[in-house]
Each structure stands twice: as structure tokens, then as C-alpha cells.
Amino acid sequence: MKKNGDNGTMLMEAAVCIPVVLVMILGAMQVAHIWFARQVVQYAAYSSVRTLLSTPDQDYEKAVKPDGVAWKAAANVCSWIALSQPEGSEEFEVPGWGKVPGSGGLEKKLELKLETAGSKWNPQVTVTFDFPLVMPVAGHIIGWGLNPWAEGREWQKQHADATGDKHSGEAIKHPYIRFTESASLVKPYILLPFSGGLM
């Protein structure tokens, strides 16, 4: 025989547990997404430094600026994980594929810095990419938990940053984290016109 006090307990348990389980599933998906995006940014660094192998030394600085060959190589890779863009911005076009949905405003998310690993024959590129945490609820919890305002965490960024956020003009507001990856390659050959003569 049923006791009157048990009425509605299963409904109450479901009401409490389902949101928690849903947030845990979304959190697991967001963590996997973050891990995947980090690998993509690492490959973007490799792709950008690889283009410098066939670029004259004197054009290195120009190559890492927006619309330079190294920047475009990194943008071709990172455009697939941009996932959010400012209103009215043009989507990035990958040669052979077309425009990538949600990839507008890449010049605000993607930054390349040229360094040298020992000599000019070892170009090194550091790629910085702002990645949006797009999973509902879980993305905001992770963004809040990372605390991008804490000292020494300049690589992390969020929309609520009072210091001025470069992603505030976007249609959907997402928290961001910033990935920084570096890659270096040695030129396997020397072309005299590229080097400006013998060393």
C-alpha cells in the first residue's frame, strides 16, 4: 500500500536532477570543444610559420600582419572555430571552400607575432586566438570559473571585462578564452635572392 507522503517524490527528484545532469553534459561538451580548439590553434601556428619558409626574410613582418600570407594561413585554419562574429561583418572565405559561417571579424580574434628562434633561418610565430565558449550555461560557468580579471591571467577574456572588450559588438554575447601557441621551423634550404646575399 502507498503512503500518502510519497506522492510526487519522483517528480521532485527529476526536477532537481535533470538540470544538474544537463549542465554536466554541456560542461563535458564544452571542455572537449576547448581541447579541440587548442589543437586547431596549435596547427594554425604551424601553418603560419610554414608559409614563412617560402617568404623572403625582408617580408616576414608584412606576412604576419592581417592579410599577410602567414596571417591568412592561420586564418584559414582558425576560421572554422571562430563560431561568432560582430553584426554586419563579412564572413572569412577559405579558398576552395567558400565563406565559413560565423567567421567574420577574424582580424579582432586572431593575432600573429613574429619572433626568431636563434637566427633568421629559424622563424618562429606565436598565434593568439580568442575562442568563444558557445555551450549554453556551461560556457558561462567555465568562463566565470577561469576568472579572466585575476592578475597574471591576461590570456583569458570575457565580455564583461570593464577594461574594454574587443568582442562586445557581436550579435550573441559569449565568454572568451585566449589561446597562445607558438611554432618554429628551420629553413631547409637557402635561396640567395631571399636572404639578400651570403651571410
Side-chain angles (χ1 to χ4, degrees), residues 104-150:
L106 262 184
E107 61 282 347
K108 290 185 175 182
K109 295 179 184 177
L110 178 65
E111 186 180 328
L112 272 65
K113 185 179 176 187
L114 178 67
E115 298 164 9
T116 52
S119 75
K120 67 179 181 176
W121 300 113
N122 295 23
Q124 179 175 320
V125 175
T126 300
V127 172
T128 303
F129 184 75
D130 294 345
F131 177 67
L133 303 174
V134 296
M135 291 296 165
V137 184
H140 290 275
I141 290 172
I142 291 171
W144 171 78
L146 291 173
N147 188 10
W149 306 280

Side-chain angles (χ1 to χ4, degrees), residues 18-40:
I18 287 174
V20 173
V21 170
L22 187 61
V23 169
M24 288 173 64
I25 291 169
L26 291 171
M29 291 169 65
Q30 185 65 80
V31 168
H33 203 199
I34 289 169
W35 184 258
F36 168 75
R38 184 174 177 267
Q39 301 301 315
V40 170

Side-chain angles (χ1 to χ4, degrees), residues 31-99:
V31 168
H33 203 199
I34 289 169
W35 184 258
F36 168 75
R38 184 174 177 267
Q39 301 301 315
V40 170
V41 174
Q42 194 167 18
Y43 182 67
Y46 169 77
S47 298
S48 61
V49 79
R50 193 167 184 270
T51 62
L52 295 182
L53 297 183
S54 58
T55 303
D57 300 345
Q58 61 271 19
D59 293 338
Y60 279 2
E61 288 291 339
K62 185 180 168 187
V64 297
K65 301 261 190 278
D67 286 335
V69 291
W71 188 89
K72 283 182 181 175
N76 283 338
V77 176
C78 288
S79 62
W80 301 98
I81 58 168
L83 306 174
S84 180
Q85 67 184 42
E87 292 183 68
S89 63
E90 187 89 17
E91 293 172 332
F92 186 79
E93 188 166 350
V94 175
W97 286 88
K99 294 186 177 184

